[in-house]
Amino acid sequence: MALTFPSLGLAYFPVPKVACDSLKQALYERDTGRPFQPFQGPKGPITDIHQVLTSVPFHPSHLEGLYHYARFAVVRDPVERLLSCYRHRVVELGELAPGRHPDSVSAAALAEAGLPATPDLKTFIQRLPAYRAVSVSIRHHTDSLVAYLGADPGVFDLLVPLSRIDQVADLIAARSGRDDPLPRSHRSAGGVDLGDLDDDDLATVLGYYQADYKVFAAHISVPGIITAHRFARAEKGLS
């Protein structure tokens, strides 16, 4: 669903793990004139900007009423996006370890599915459908780009890969009259990277997200991530 910012004339379609925290923070501040701060809502405390500006799956009806808005979105290579999810949600926050995080999966649910609570990268990738089935958060952060943006890139006035997010920053600056840099959020320290995937894991992830590579081929490509993977493996001295 589009997040609209009337004073800026912008409609943003967010995708989890694609700089959406940084963009939501920036757009909220530029639109309201103040940074986001936790507050008491009618149903309890609002402590996270994602409780105010939510990321939900795309539906064609979400385009209605946006004729006077510049519609934009950012895409990220699905393999890199999945690695980011694993680093942040699984390793750093421990969302699959019972009791470690408010969104953690219960021990009973993991045991029933035969899933380890602290999976290594290979286990997480090869059993991703099962982890998605037991964890709302993991499902939310690993749903496809197509799920959040639809299958027609032509509906966007600006659609860029994460590597060109400077174009979005320029758009926001032009609309707000402010050229502040975008905030940086969720930078997980260390952990796994593209070179830690073996060929089987890479092929599995490419299979999960084949629709993304087809729809957004102008910005992400299978040959591109395969080349990057080979380079990352070679840097680690791996074949």
Side-chain angles (χ1 to χ4, degrees):
M1 181 176 71
L3 301 175
T4 56
F5 302 90
S7 73
L8 305 176
L10 295 176
Y12 166 47
F13 289 75
V15 180
K17 308 312 299 176
V18 190
C20 74
D21 187 279
S22 298
L23 287 171
K24 287 176 181 179
Q25 296 279 358
L27 288 162
Y28 181 94
E29 181 174 355
R30 307 299 195 277
D31 189 53
T32 65
R34 62 184 185 279
F36 172 79
Q37 295 290 341
F39 62 94
Q40 184 66 32
K43 296 184 179 180
I46 303 297
T47 60
D48 191 305
I49 196 166
H50 300 293
Q51 294 172 271
V52 179
L53 303 176
T54 57
S55 304
V56 300
F58 177 86
H59 189 275
S61 64
H62 298 163
L63 298 171
E64 296 175 4
L66 298 182
Y67 307 107
H68 301 296
Y69 288 86
R71 302 181 294 274
F72 75 92
V74 183
V75 296
R76 183 181 191 178
D77 182 90
V79 179
E80 295 284 7
R81 183 169 165 251
L82 184 63
L83 289 172
S84 177
C85 173
Y86 177 78
R87 286 192 299 264
H88 185 224
R89 313 308 301 193
V90 178
V91 177
E92 185 175 341
L93 297 183
E95 287 186 346
L96 295 175
R100 184 175 162 190
H101 187 272
D103 293 328
S104 290
V105 180
S106 71
L110 290 169
E112 183 177 353
L115 297 170
T118 55
D120 59 22
L121 180 60
K122 175 175 282 293
T123 301
F124 181 70
I125 287 173
Q126 297 299 334
R127 304 210 61 189
L128 182 60
Y131 280 113
R132 284 171 48 84
V134 299
S135 171
V136 172
S137 178
I138 295 300
R139 184 164 63 251
H140 174 75
H141 289 90
T142 61
D143 273 344
S144 67
L145 297 173
V146 170
Y148 287 103
L149 302 179
D152 180 9
V155 304
F156 301 104
D157 298 296
L158 178 65
L159 180 67
V160 298
L162 185 59
S163 62
R164 301 302 304 274
I165 197 172
D166 57 302
Q167 294 184 28
V168 173
D170 290 344
L171 174 64
I172 295 172
R175 293 300 182 104
S176 65
R178 294 173 49 180
D179 59 359
D180 315 42
L182 295 176
R184 296 290 299 275
S185 304
H186 298 326
R187 289 176 290 180
S188 301
V192 301
D193 59 30
L194 189 58
D196 293 305
L197 290 174
D198 62 28
D199 290 344
D200 287 341
D201 294 334
L202 178 63
T204 297
V205 180
L206 292 177
Y208 289 149
Y209 296 105
Q210 56 184 310
D212 286 348
Y213 286 105
K214 179 179 179 180
V215 171
F216 300 104
H219 305 292
I220 55 174
S221 72
V222 171
I225 196 63
I226 289 175
T227 299
H229 174 251
R230 288 174 178 167
F231 181 78
R233 296 281 286 178
E235 282 196 318
K236 291 178 179 286
L238 302 169
S239 58

